[in-house]
Amino acid sequence: MTAGFGARGPFTSARWSPAAGGISTTPLATLRHIAYCISHAGALLLRPADPLLRERVFTTLRAAIVDGTLQPEERLVETELCAWLNVSRTPVREALGRLEQIGLVLVRPSASTIVSPLSTRAAAEAQAVAASLHELAAREAVPLLRDEHVDAMTAANDRFADALARGDVQAAIDADDAFHGVFVDLAANRMLAGVLEDVTPLLRRMERARFATLVGRASVGQHRRIVEHALLGDVDAAARATRENWLTLDPAAD
């Protein structure tokens, strides 16, 4: 898929036109892009001078790539993204640059900018980094663990198991993020958290595309063992189990 969602170009679709009293065809957004934009409207309806605007544009585009709203190899045209997000070119251009740096966007010289294809190599590289950093987070967090943190991890794992049983990929990923986020937050290492923020979307994107792989990771039991080791205060075992959990995803699996 290299030319967006329709024969007229990316984002082309029928759009509701109140003035016309019905549906009109305009090259602005597909119905699913409109729905996505509406669901994120609160994050984007900001004054141009708002210092958070650039970050909101970046996180919205990143989320759209990870969840498949913007699909692999889809063309990204600045003017259309600006219309979709109701912002000027500057934050969009900056967001695309940042997304290129973390591997979610591919800029082809003298050609078009596209959503990066799914890459097993990129996912494997991100996985190695994520596993090491989550291991470090566990080492720093376990000595600080309190009852409320254990409760939060247990509840997140319960939500994770339920989401897997229902086949709800987004809920499963959210619950997995919440589970591992307890250690990351407790570690309070800004450098660690910042790098994870860059590499984790590459893994989550692959997991969304291959939900069967996510189901097959046996992470529910692995999460329980991580909590058990942490409750015993066994830093090495908890850190080792955390690393192993992140390495169970096979980026090359079909």
Side-chain angles (χ1 to χ4, degrees):
M1 182 180 300
T2 58
F5 294 106
R8 293 180 293 275
F11 309 134
T12 300
S13 182
R15 189 179 65 146
W16 177 257
S17 174
I23 296 293
S24 64
T25 300
T26 61
L28 176 57
T30 58
L31 293 178
R32 62 197 179 93
H33 282 81
I34 293 173
Y36 187 89
C37 193
I38 291 172
S39 69
H40 290 72
L44 292 169
L45 295 179
L46 301 168
R47 298 190 306 274
D50 193 314
L52 297 178
L53 180 59
R54 289 177 174 81
E55 189 65 23
R56 300 288 178 89
V57 170
F58 168 72
T59 56
T60 299
L61 289 176
R62 182 181 63 185
I65 292 172
V66 172
D67 71 17
T69 300
L70 297 172
Q71 298 186 6
E73 300 186 61
E74 180 174 346
R75 287 183 61 225
L76 300 173
V77 180
E78 282 186 11
T79 54
E80 292 167 347
L81 292 173
C82 292
W84 173 36
L85 301 175
N86 192 29
V87 296
S88 67
R89 283 195 176 192
T90 297
V92 168
R93 187 174 294 124
E94 292 179 358
L96 292 177
R98 290 175 64 185
L99 291 167
E100 180 187 18
Q101 290 178 349
I102 64 176
L104 292 176
V105 162
L106 179 62
V107 178
R108 301 181 295 191
S110 303
S112 58
T113 298
I114 65 171
V115 175
S116 295
L118 288 172
S119 167
T120 56
R121 177 177 177 178
E125 292 172 347
Q127 179 185 43
V129 174
S132 295
L133 290 179
H134 279 287
E135 178 184 9
L136 175 59
R139 290 189 180 279
E140 295 186 357
V142 168
L144 305 174
L145 207 66
R146 298 172 60 177
D147 289 345
E148 59 262 35
H149 303 129
V150 173
D151 291 344
M153 295 177 76
T154 301
N157 196 36
D158 289 343
R159 296 195 303 274
F160 181 73
D162 178 67
L164 291 181
R166 292 184 288 106
D168 188 335
V169 60
Q170 185 59 57
I173 287 174
D174 288 346
D176 197 45
D177 282 341
F179 178 88
H180 292 286
V182 173
F183 280 172
V184 174
D185 291 344
L186 267 177
N189 184 321
R190 290 181 295 177
M191 182 67 71
L192 181 154
V195 176
L196 281 175
E197 189 174 359
D198 284 346
V199 301
T200 302
L202 293 167
L203 289 174
R204 294 315 194 190
R205 191 175 175 225
M206 187 69 71
E207 287 178 328
R208 291 189 70 91
R210 297 171 177 163
F211 187 60
T213 301
L214 180 65
V215 173
R217 286 177 60 190
S219 283
V220 175
Q222 292 172 347
H223 287 171
R224 291 192 184 116
R225 285 191 290 277
I226 291 169
V227 173
E228 290 169 1
H229 293 315
L231 279 171
L232 293 173
D234 192 334
V235 174
D236 287 340
R240 184 169 55 251
T242 299
R243 178 182 179 84
E244 290 171 354
N245 176 238
W246 279 94
L247 291 177
T248 51
L249 170 68
D250 182 3
D254 292 327

